Amino acid sequence: MSAPVAPFPQVDHQRAVFADGLALDCGMAIAPLAVAYRTYGRLNAARSNAVLVCHALTGDQYVAEPHPLTGKPGWWESVVGPGKPLDTDRYFLICANVLGGCMGSTGPQEEMTDAAGRGLGRPWGTDFPNITIRDMVRAQKRLVEHLGIARLLAVVGGSMGGMQALEWAATFPETVFAAAPIATAAYHSAQNIAFHEVGRAAIHADPAWQGGRYWEAGGVPAQGLSVARMVAHITYLSEQALTRKFGRRLRGDTNPRGALTFLEDVFEVESYLRHQGSTFVRRFDANSYLTITRAMDYFDLAAERGGDLAAAFRGTPTRFFVASFSSDWLFPTAESRAIVRALNAAAANVSFVEITSDKGHDAFLLDEPDFHRALGGFLAGCADRLGV
Amino acid sequence: MPEAPTDHRHDGDRPGGRPAPRGGEITYVAKNMRLDLRLIAEMVPPGATVLDIGCGDGTLLAHLSAEKGADARGIEIDMAQATQAVAAGLAVIQGDADHDLAFYPDGAFDYVVLSRTLQAVERPREVLRQMLRIGRHAIVSFPNFGHWLLRWQLLSKGRMPVTETWHREWYETPNIHPCTIRDFFDLCRLEGYEVVRWLAVDDRGLKAPWTRSPRLANLFGEQALFLLRRGRR
């Protein structure tokens, strides 16, 4: 805890840079706009097989390849690849690091610019503007246009990625043939905002946070960010999943007799969470975490339409695939069902399944054959219809 | 009470709901499709928008989409069947007739189909109202509890009838609202629904020739199929 933790190393990311920048919902503009991204598979001649994958809060563009910092496999390799539900032999997959992220897209860790787009020689840090899910989507739209794609076959995403999929369909309906919001909601619930706030409070409470200007001391608020990750990680799992993985097992090596100690990890679940926290700080920026959690908290598709979610989709040509997981208490099935009912009220074409799983919110990232079959079948049906 | 297969919903061991008709008595609309579904498919004109409530694995939806160019969507209460339908690329949501119809706008569909499910819903009258609110037409099929065999069994044995169609014990059946063909006519009259077409089929899958006599159909028809339209009042 005492030794300062250095920021994670910078690596080169594939990026598209837009000099004219992006106007944000908050009224500010940010220029230039950088969007870091990865693609998989091949764009066909008709440019009709592009699928945009939207990542979750702490995900990034490295969907189906080893991560450049951690060396770990891509976060959705169970779903993306040749012959998989998002079949890279058939579709051209795009995934962009979100606006506000820390894997190469414009975000708090990147160099701050003035109104004319001139670099100011310091990171944005907490001066990075408040962004929304729609701002993230607009940044992605720029990338999609840059890649020469007029219409996406589908936008697919889980959790915060699902919010983006919904926002894409609501904001650019003609650009999205199909949308697959998974394990998500049309607004962030009070409980979810509350959990986010605990994470933010932990970051703020870390002396190394330095009011957000931690780069000046060459360190990062590792302790605070780690605690934020630990809290969040609990919300991604379920009681059954934790019980199955760890139960009440004690750490045998350090504490063979289960003697009472308060000085170190006693239960396996504790060391697991600590490990999650400590590895997270090696790839994620604290100010990005603050920025993106805020964007999720602001998200409420119905709010600006007088509370009528169906109004966001009335007359939409987009086809929807909504999926939830039975043990997900962060984005429970009831919230997916609310989306489905709003889509029905809007006379939209929608498919919906609740997948039985005891793995909690994280189930959308894991090996869930029923989910994969349903998602793959939905997408294949859309592709067939478009003649892809 | 013994049971009529409630659509595909509670009948895992017999996915088709009933055995295939013996012989080649009727015109096949589609191979391997349940008889009442084939008759329903005949009622739907090309290009129609259709909502199939209790769509099972989506057999009818797939047929209507492929053969009639219909914009066909479904609701299925059984998650495994709904997942199978979605995996086949069909627009199916997991949900149920009693709770999900209220969310659709008025006149959203040309046809709303409820096959072999009416007797198993909580509020059949309300479900019918919703069907004819969100659809211009309703197509309803149900097993006829007025069939002579059921009457005979109840009369002779004094026990709830057990037949091929109604095969589950009274304490286990999901069929909480069985009705007869004449009962259904009464409800349509009460609610002001216009019966555009109706027919009964016997236990061999033959279209019953008693279309001029609801009383005869009620005695010999094992299944009933109604095409309704909202009344003008």
Side-chain angles (χ1 to χ4, degrees), chain B residues 90-118:
Chain B
L90 300 167
V92 169
I93 67 166
Q94 192 279 329
D96 69 86
D98 281 306
H99 299 105
D100 284 298
L101 299 185
F103 297 94
Y104 290 87
D106 294 356
F109 299 94
D110 297 325
Y111 292 81
V112 179
V113 177
L114 185 73
S115 67
R116 298 205 205 178
T117 300
L118 187 69

PDB file of all heavy atoms in Angstrom, chain B residues 90-118:
ATOM      1  N   LEU B  90     -36.260 -16.723 -35.554  1.00  0.00           N
ATOM      2  CA  LEU B  90     -37.641 -16.237 -35.533  1.00  0.00           C
ATOM      3  C   LEU B  90     -37.819 -15.169 -34.453  1.00  0.00           C
ATOM      4  O   LEU B  90     -37.137 -15.191 -33.428  1.00  0.00           O
ATOM      5  CB  LEU B  90     -38.593 -17.407 -35.251  1.00  0.00           C
ATOM      6  CG  LEU B  90     -38.531 -18.529 -36.284  1.00  0.00           C
ATOM      7  CD1 LEU B  90     -39.255 -19.771 -35.775  1.00  0.00           C
ATOM      8  CD2 LEU B  90     -39.136 -18.060 -37.601  1.00  0.00           C
ATOM      9  N   ALA B  91     -38.739 -14.239 -34.696  1.00  0.00           N
ATOM     10  CA  ALA B  91     -38.977 -13.144 -33.746  1.00  0.00           C
ATOM     11  C   ALA B  91     -39.916 -13.622 -32.648  1.00  0.00           C
ATOM     12  O   ALA B  91     -41.117 -13.403 -32.691  1.00  0.00           O
ATOM     13  CB  ALA B  91     -39.556 -11.935 -34.471  1.00  0.00           C
ATOM     14  N   VAL B  92     -39.337 -14.285 -31.663  1.00  0.00           N
ATOM     15  CA  VAL B  92     -40.130 -14.870 -30.580  1.00  0.00           C
ATOM     16  C   VAL B  92     -39.663 -14.297 -29.258  1.00  0.00           C
ATOM     17  O   VAL B  92     -38.462 -14.168 -29.022  1.00  0.00           O
ATOM     18  CB  VAL B  92     -39.982 -16.401 -30.578  1.00  0.00           C
ATOM     19  CG1 VAL B  92     -40.577 -17.011 -29.319  1.00  0.00           C
ATOM     20  CG2 VAL B  92     -40.647 -16.991 -31.816  1.00  0.00           C
ATOM     21  N   ILE B  93     -40.624 -13.947 -28.400  1.00  0.00           N
ATOM     22  CA  ILE B  93     -40.241 -13.535 -27.055  1.00  0.00           C
ATOM     23  C   ILE B  93     -40.771 -14.546 -26.058  1.00  0.00           C
ATOM     24  O   ILE B  93     -41.818 -15.172 -26.266  1.00  0.00           O
ATOM     25  CB  ILE B  93     -40.762 -12.136 -26.685  1.00  0.00           C
ATOM     26  CG1 ILE B  93     -42.292 -12.114 -26.572  1.00  0.00           C
ATOM     27  CG2 ILE B  93     -40.281 -11.094 -27.685  1.00  0.00           C
ATOM     28  CD1 ILE B  93     -42.823 -10.878 -25.885  1.00  0.00           C
ATOM     29  N   GLN B  94     -40.023 -14.726 -24.968  1.00  0.00           N
ATOM     30  CA  GLN B  94     -40.536 -15.544 -23.879  1.00  0.00           C
ATOM     31  C   GLN B  94     -41.527 -14.674 -23.109  1.00  0.00           C
ATOM     32  O   GLN B  94     -41.197 -13.550 -22.708  1.00  0.00           O
ATOM     33  CB  GLN B  94     -39.383 -16.003 -22.971  1.00  0.00           C
ATOM     34  CG  GLN B  94     -39.780 -17.081 -21.978  1.00  0.00           C
ATOM     35  CD  GLN B  94     -40.483 -16.522 -20.758  1.00  0.00           C
ATOM     36  OE1 GLN B  94     -40.231 -15.418 -20.340  1.00  0.00           O
ATOM     37  NE2 GLN B  94     -41.382 -17.321 -20.185  1.00  0.00           N
ATOM     38  N   GLY B  95     -42.740 -15.173 -22.945  1.00  0.00           N
ATOM     39  CA  GLY B  95     -43.755 -14.401 -22.245  1.00  0.00           C
ATOM     40  C   GLY B  95     -45.027 -15.224 -22.184  1.00  0.00           C
ATOM     41  O   GLY B  95     -45.028 -16.396 -22.561  1.00  0.00           O
ATOM     42  N   ASP B  96     -46.118 -14.637 -21.687  1.00  0.00           N
ATOM     43  CA  ASP B  96     -47.353 -15.411 -21.668  1.00  0.00           C
ATOM     44  C   ASP B  96     -48.564 -14.554 -21.992  1.00  0.00           C
ATOM     45  O   ASP B  96     -48.530 -13.324 -21.876  1.00  0.00           O
ATOM     46  CB  ASP B  96     -47.527 -16.144 -20.334  1.00  0.00           C
ATOM     47  CG  ASP B  96     -47.805 -15.190 -19.192  1.00  0.00           C
ATOM     48  OD1 ASP B  96     -48.979 -14.849 -18.994  1.00  0.00           O
ATOM     49  OD2 ASP B  96     -46.841 -14.767 -18.525  1.00  0.00           O
ATOM     50  N   ALA B  97     -49.611 -15.254 -22.403  1.00  0.00           N
ATOM     51  CA  ALA B  97     -50.810 -14.601 -22.919  1.00  0.00           C
ATOM     52  C   ALA B  97     -51.462 -13.710 -21.861  1.00  0.00           C
ATOM     53  O   ALA B  97     -51.979 -12.641 -22.167  1.00  0.00           O
ATOM     54  CB  ALA B  97     -51.799 -15.655 -23.401  1.00  0.00           C
ATOM     55  N   ASP B  98     -51.433 -14.153 -20.610  1.00  0.00           N
ATOM     56  CA  ASP B  98     -52.132 -13.407 -19.573  1.00  0.00           C
ATOM     57  C   ASP B  98     -51.468 -12.064 -19.262  1.00  0.00           C
ATOM     58  O   ASP B  98     -52.126 -11.136 -18.825  1.00  0.00           O
ATOM     59  CB  ASP B  98     -52.214 -14.233 -18.288  1.00  0.00           C
ATOM     60  CG  ASP B  98     -53.320 -15.289 -18.369  1.00  0.00           C
ATOM     61  OD1 ASP B  98     -54.464 -14.893 -18.652  1.00  0.00           O
ATOM     62  OD2 ASP B  98     -53.037 -16.478 -18.168  1.00  0.00           O
ATOM     63  N   HIS B  99     -50.148 -11.981 -19.462  1.00  0.00           N
ATOM     64  CA  HIS B  99     -49.443 -10.793 -18.980  1.00  0.00           C
ATOM     65  C   HIS B  99     -48.800  -9.922 -20.054  1.00  0.00           C
ATOM     66  O   HIS B  99     -48.513  -8.769 -19.797  1.00  0.00           O
ATOM     67  CB  HIS B  99     -48.374 -11.216 -17.965  1.00  0.00           C
ATOM     68  CG  HIS B  99     -48.951 -11.907 -16.773  1.00  0.00           C
ATOM     69  ND1 HIS B  99     -48.849 -13.274 -16.592  1.00  0.00           N
ATOM     70  CD2 HIS B  99     -49.681 -11.438 -15.741  1.00  0.00           C
ATOM     71  CE1 HIS B  99     -49.485 -13.603 -15.471  1.00  0.00           C
ATOM     72  NE2 HIS B  99     -49.988 -12.515 -14.941  1.00  0.00           N
ATOM     73  N   ASP B 100     -48.560 -10.463 -21.228  1.00  0.00           N
ATOM     74  CA  ASP B 100     -47.762  -9.703 -22.184  1.00  0.00           C
ATOM     75  C   ASP B 100     -48.555  -9.023 -23.287  1.00  0.00           C
ATOM     76  O   ASP B 100     -48.047  -8.132 -23.955  1.00  0.00           O
ATOM     77  CB  ASP B 100     -46.679 -10.603 -22.798  1.00  0.00           C
ATOM     78  CG  ASP B 100     -45.543 -10.842 -21.824  1.00  0.00           C
ATOM     79  OD1 ASP B 100     -44.897  -9.844 -21.446  1.00  0.00           O
ATOM     80  OD2 ASP B 100     -45.335 -11.987 -21.406  1.00  0.00           O
ATOM     81  N   LEU B 101     -49.808  -9.420 -23.482  1.00  0.00           N
ATOM     82  CA  LEU B 101     -50.560  -8.849 -24.610  1.00  0.00           C
ATOM     83  C   LEU B 101     -50.887  -7.384 -24.383  1.00  0.00           C
ATOM     84  O   LEU B 101     -50.985  -6.603 -25.328  1.00  0.00           O
ATOM     85  CB  LEU B 101     -51.853  -9.638 -24.834  1.00  0.00           C
ATOM     86  CG  LEU B 101     -51.658 -11.120 -25.177  1.00  0.00           C
ATOM     87  CD1 LEU B 101     -52.999 -11.759 -25.493  1.00  0.00           C
ATOM     88  CD2 LEU B 101     -50.698 -11.286 -26.344  1.00  0.00           C
ATOM     89  N   ALA B 102     -51.035  -7.010 -23.114  1.00  0.00           N
ATOM     90  CA  ALA B 102     -51.450  -5.641 -22.795  1.00  0.00           C
ATOM     91  C   ALA B 102     -50.475  -4.602 -23.320  1.00  0.00           C
ATOM     92  O   ALA B 102     -50.829  -3.425 -23.453  1.00  0.00           O
ATOM     93  CB  ALA B 102     -51.600  -5.492 -21.282  1.00  0.00           C
ATOM     94  N   PHE B 103     -49.236  -5.028 -23.613  1.00  0.00           N
ATOM     95  CA  PHE B 103     -48.220  -4.045 -23.994  1.00  0.00           C
ATOM     96  C   PHE B 103     -48.198  -3.730 -25.493  1.00  0.00           C
ATOM     97  O   PHE B 103     -47.501  -2.831 -25.921  1.00  0.00           O
ATOM     98  CB  PHE B 103     -46.844  -4.513 -23.527  1.00  0.00           C
ATOM     99  CG  PHE B 103     -46.772  -4.620 -22.036  1.00  0.00           C
ATOM    100  CD1 PHE B 103     -47.027  -5.825 -21.399  1.00  0.00           C
ATOM    101  CD2 PHE B 103     -46.517  -3.499 -21.263  1.00  0.00           C
ATOM    102  CE1 PHE B 103     -47.002  -5.912 -20.019  1.00  0.00           C
ATOM    103  CE2 PHE B 103     -46.489  -3.580 -19.879  1.00  0.00           C
ATOM    104  CZ  PHE B 103     -46.735  -4.795 -19.251  1.00  0.00           C
ATOM    105  N   TYR B 104     -48.936  -4.497 -26.267  1.00  0.00           N
ATOM    106  CA  TYR B 104     -48.952  -4.239 -27.717  1.00  0.00           C
ATOM    107  C   TYR B 104     -49.960  -3.132 -28.029  1.00  0.00           C
ATOM    108  O   TYR B 104     -50.996  -3.018 -27.374  1.00  0.00           O
ATOM    109  CB  TYR B 104     -49.341  -5.501 -28.485  1.00  0.00           C
ATOM    110  CG  TYR B 104     -48.295  -6.586 -28.462  1.00  0.00           C
ATOM    111  CD1 TYR B 104     -48.258  -7.511 -27.431  1.00  0.00           C
ATOM    112  CD2 TYR B 104     -47.338  -6.682 -29.465  1.00  0.00           C
ATOM    113  CE1 TYR B 104     -47.294  -8.516 -27.393  1.00  0.00           C
ATOM    114  CE2 TYR B 104     -46.380  -7.675 -29.442  1.00  0.00           C
ATOM    115  CZ  TYR B 104     -46.361  -8.595 -28.404  1.00  0.00           C
ATOM    116  OH  TYR B 104     -45.404  -9.563 -28.381  1.00  0.00           O
ATOM    117  N   PRO B 105     -49.677  -2.327 -29.038  1.00  0.00           N
ATOM    118  CA  PRO B 105     -50.615  -1.259 -29.393  1.00  0.00           C
ATOM    119  C   PRO B 105     -51.853  -1.808 -30.124  1.00  0.00           C
ATOM    120  O   PRO B 105     -51.825  -2.924 -30.647  1.00  0.00           O
ATOM    121  CB  PRO B 105     -49.791  -0.364 -30.323  1.00  0.00           C
ATOM    122  CG  PRO B 105     -48.746  -1.241 -30.898  1.00  0.00           C
ATOM    123  CD  PRO B 105     -48.467  -2.311 -29.875  1.00  0.00           C
ATOM    124  N   ASP B 106     -52.896  -1.030 -30.173  1.00  0.00           N
ATOM    125  CA  ASP B 106     -54.125  -1.419 -30.883  1.00  0.00           C
ATOM    126  C   ASP B 106     -53.803  -1.697 -32.353  1.00  0.00           C
ATOM    127  O   ASP B 106     -53.023  -0.986 -32.972  1.00  0.00           O
ATOM    128  CB  ASP B 106     -55.147  -0.270 -30.836  1.00  0.00           C
ATOM    129  CG  ASP B 106     -55.644  -0.002 -29.418  1.00  0.00           C
ATOM    130  OD1 ASP B 106     -55.258  -0.751 -28.498  1.00  0.00           O
ATOM    131  OD2 ASP B 106     -56.414   0.961 -29.241  1.00  0.00           O
ATOM    132  N   GLY B 107     -54.441  -2.714 -32.881  1.00  0.00           N
ATOM    133  CA  GLY B 107     -54.365  -2.968 -34.316  1.00  0.00           C
ATOM    134  C   GLY B 107     -52.967  -3.223 -34.854  1.00  0.00           C
ATOM    135  O   GLY B 107     -52.673  -2.942 -36.009  1.00  0.00           O
ATOM    136  N   ALA B 108     -52.088  -3.782 -34.015  1.00  0.00           N
ATOM    137  CA  ALA B 108     -50.699  -3.987 -34.440  1.00  0.00           C
ATOM    138  C   ALA B 108     -50.556  -5.136 -35.443  1.00  0.00           C
ATOM    139  O   ALA B 108     -49.590  -5.187 -36.192  1.00  0.00           O
ATOM    140  CB  ALA B 108     -49.809  -4.245 -33.230  1.00  0.00           C
ATOM    141  N   PHE B 109     -51.522  -6.054 -35.446  1.00  0.00           N
ATOM    142  CA  PHE B 109     -51.407  -7.241 -36.301  1.00  0.00           C
ATOM    143  C   PHE B 109     -52.689  -7.457 -37.110  1.00  0.00           C
ATOM    144  O   PHE B 109     -53.777  -7.080 -36.689  1.00  0.00           O
ATOM    145  CB  PHE B 109     -51.146  -8.495 -35.445  1.00  0.00           C
ATOM    146  CG  PHE B 109     -49.868  -8.419 -34.665  1.00  0.00           C
ATOM    147  CD1 PHE B 109     -49.868  -7.963 -33.350  1.00  0.00           C
ATOM    148  CD2 PHE B 109     -48.651  -8.776 -35.238  1.00  0.00           C
ATOM    149  CE1 PHE B 109     -48.682  -7.873 -32.626  1.00  0.00           C
ATOM    150  CE2 PHE B 109     -47.465  -8.696 -34.519  1.00  0.00           C
ATOM    151  CZ  PHE B 109     -47.484  -8.250 -33.217  1.00  0.00           C
ATOM    152  N   ASP B 110     -52.520  -8.104 -38.256  1.00  0.00           N
ATOM    153  CA  ASP B 110     -53.699  -8.511 -39.028  1.00  0.00           C
ATOM    154  C   ASP B 110     -54.371  -9.708 -38.356  1.00  0.00           C
ATOM    155  O   ASP B 110     -55.586  -9.787 -38.277  1.00  0.00           O
ATOM    156  CB  ASP B 110     -53.283  -8.892 -40.458  1.00  0.00           C
ATOM    157  CG  ASP B 110     -52.698  -7.718 -41.216  1.00  0.00           C
ATOM    158  OD1 ASP B 110     -53.174  -6.578 -40.983  1.00  0.00           O
ATOM    159  OD2 ASP B 110     -51.777  -7.919 -42.025  1.00  0.00           O
ATOM    160  N   TYR B 111     -53.531 -10.662 -37.892  1.00  0.00           N
ATOM    161  CA  TYR B 111     -54.059 -11.883 -37.271  1.00  0.00           C
ATOM    162  C   TYR B 111     -53.317 -12.168 -35.962  1.00  0.00           C
ATOM    163  O   TYR B 111     -52.086 -12.083 -35.924  1.00  0.00           O
ATOM    164  CB  TYR B 111     -53.886 -13.092 -38.204  1.00  0.00           C
ATOM    165  CG  TYR B 111     -54.759 -13.013 -39.429  1.00  0.00           C
ATOM    166  CD1 TYR B 111     -54.378 -12.251 -40.532  1.00  0.00           C
ATOM    167  CD2 TYR B 111     -55.978 -13.681 -39.465  1.00  0.00           C
ATOM    168  CE1 TYR B 111     -55.186 -12.146 -41.642  1.00  0.00           C
ATOM    169  CE2 TYR B 111     -56.796 -13.589 -40.575  1.00  0.00           C
ATOM    170  CZ  TYR B 111     -56.402 -12.819 -41.667  1.00  0.00           C
ATOM    171  OH  TYR B 111     -57.221 -12.731 -42.757  1.00  0.00           O
ATOM    172  N   VAL B 112     -54.079 -12.484 -34.932  1.00  0.00           N
ATOM    173  CA  VAL B 112     -53.475 -12.939 -33.683  1.00  0.00           C
ATOM    174  C   VAL B 112     -53.953 -14.367 -33.449  1.00  0.00           C
ATOM    175  O   VAL B 112     -55.157 -14.636 -33.443  1.00  0.00           O
ATOM    176  CB  VAL B 112     -53.858 -12.027 -32.503  1.00  0.00           C
ATOM    177  CG1 VAL B 112     -53.243 -12.548 -31.213  1.00  0.00           C
ATOM    178  CG2 VAL B 112     -53.395 -10.597 -32.769  1.00  0.00           C
ATOM    179  N   VAL B 113     -53.010 -15.274 -33.306  1.00  0.00           N
ATOM    180  CA  VAL B 113     -53.314 -16.704 -33.242  1.00  0.00           C
ATOM    181  C   VAL B 113     -53.115 -17.234 -31.827  1.00  0.00           C
ATOM    182  O   VAL B 113     -52.110 -16.923 -31.180  1.00  0.00           O
ATOM    183  CB  VAL B 113     -52.393 -17.485 -34.214  1.00  0.00           C
ATOM    184  CG1 VAL B 113     -52.643 -18.991 -34.093  1.00  0.00           C
ATOM    185  CG2 VAL B 113     -52.591 -17.003 -35.644  1.00  0.00           C
ATOM    186  N   LEU B 114     -54.074 -18.016 -31.373  1.00  0.00           N
ATOM    187  CA  LEU B 114     -53.937 -18.680 -30.074  1.00  0.00           C
ATOM    188  C   LEU B 114     -54.347 -20.131 -30.284  1.00  0.00           C
ATOM    189  O   LEU B 114     -55.533 -20.441 -30.397  1.00  0.00           O
ATOM    190  CB  LEU B 114     -54.847 -18.018 -29.036  1.00  0.00           C
ATOM    191  CG  LEU B 114     -54.738 -18.519 -27.605  1.00  0.00           C
ATOM    192  CD1 LEU B 114     -53.427 -18.045 -26.969  1.00  0.00           C
ATOM    193  CD2 LEU B 114     -55.909 -18.014 -26.773  1.00  0.00           C
ATOM    194  N   SER B 115     -53.378 -21.020 -30.411  1.00  0.00           N
ATOM    195  CA  SER B 115     -53.739 -22.395 -30.713  1.00  0.00           C
ATOM    196  C   SER B 115     -53.569 -23.298 -29.498  1.00  0.00           C
ATOM    197  O   SER B 115     -52.509 -23.362 -28.906  1.00  0.00           O
ATOM    198  CB  SER B 115     -52.915 -22.913 -31.893  1.00  0.00           C
ATOM    199  OG  SER B 115     -51.567 -23.020 -31.547  1.00  0.00           O
ATOM    200  N   ARG B 116     -54.653 -23.957 -29.124  1.00  0.00           N
ATOM    201  CA  ARG B 116     -54.680 -24.912 -28.015  1.00  0.00           C
ATOM    202  C   ARG B 116     -54.116 -24.359 -26.721  1.00  0.00           C
ATOM    203  O   ARG B 116     -53.397 -25.053 -26.008  1.00  0.00           O
ATOM    204  CB  ARG B 116     -53.880 -26.158 -28.398  1.00  0.00           C
ATOM    205  CG  ARG B 116     -54.470 -26.850 -29.586  1.00  0.00           C
ATOM    206  CD  ARG B 116     -54.075 -28.290 -29.546  1.00  0.00           C
ATOM    207  NE  ARG B 116     -54.092 -28.869 -30.860  1.00  0.00           N
ATOM    208  CZ  ARG B 116     -53.741 -30.116 -31.098  1.00  0.00           C
ATOM    209  NH1 ARG B 116     -53.321 -30.880 -30.112  1.00  0.00           N
ATOM    210  NH2 ARG B 116     -53.805 -30.591 -32.305  1.00  0.00           N
ATOM    211  N   THR B 117     -54.409 -23.124 -26.465  1.00  0.00           N
ATOM    212  CA  THR B 117     -53.875 -22.491 -25.265  1.00  0.00           C
ATOM    213  C   THR B 117     -54.980 -21.827 -24.450  1.00  0.00           C
ATOM    214  O   THR B 117     -54.849 -21.663 -23.247  1.00  0.00           O
ATOM    215  CB  THR B 117     -52.810 -21.437 -25.660  1.00  0.00           C
ATOM    216  OG1 THR B 117     -51.770 -22.099 -26.376  1.00  0.00           O
ATOM    217  CG2 THR B 117     -52.208 -20.762 -24.455  1.00  0.00           C
ATOM    218  N   LEU B 118     -56.086 -21.478 -25.111  1.00  0.00           N
ATOM    219  CA  LEU B 118     -57.152 -20.730 -24.436  1.00  0.00           C
ATOM    220  C   LEU B 118     -57.584 -21.395 -23.130  1.00  0.00           C
ATOM    221  O   LEU B 118     -57.812 -20.736 -22.127  1.00  0.00           O
ATOM    222  CB  LEU B 118     -58.361 -20.596 -25.380  1.00  0.00           C
ATOM    223  CG  LEU B 118     -59.473 -19.679 -24.857  1.00  0.00           C
ATOM    224  CD1 LEU B 118     -59.017 -18.231 -24.852  1.00  0.00           C
ATOM    225  CD2 LEU B 118     -60.749 -19.829 -25.695  1.00  0.00           C
TER     226      LEU B 118
END
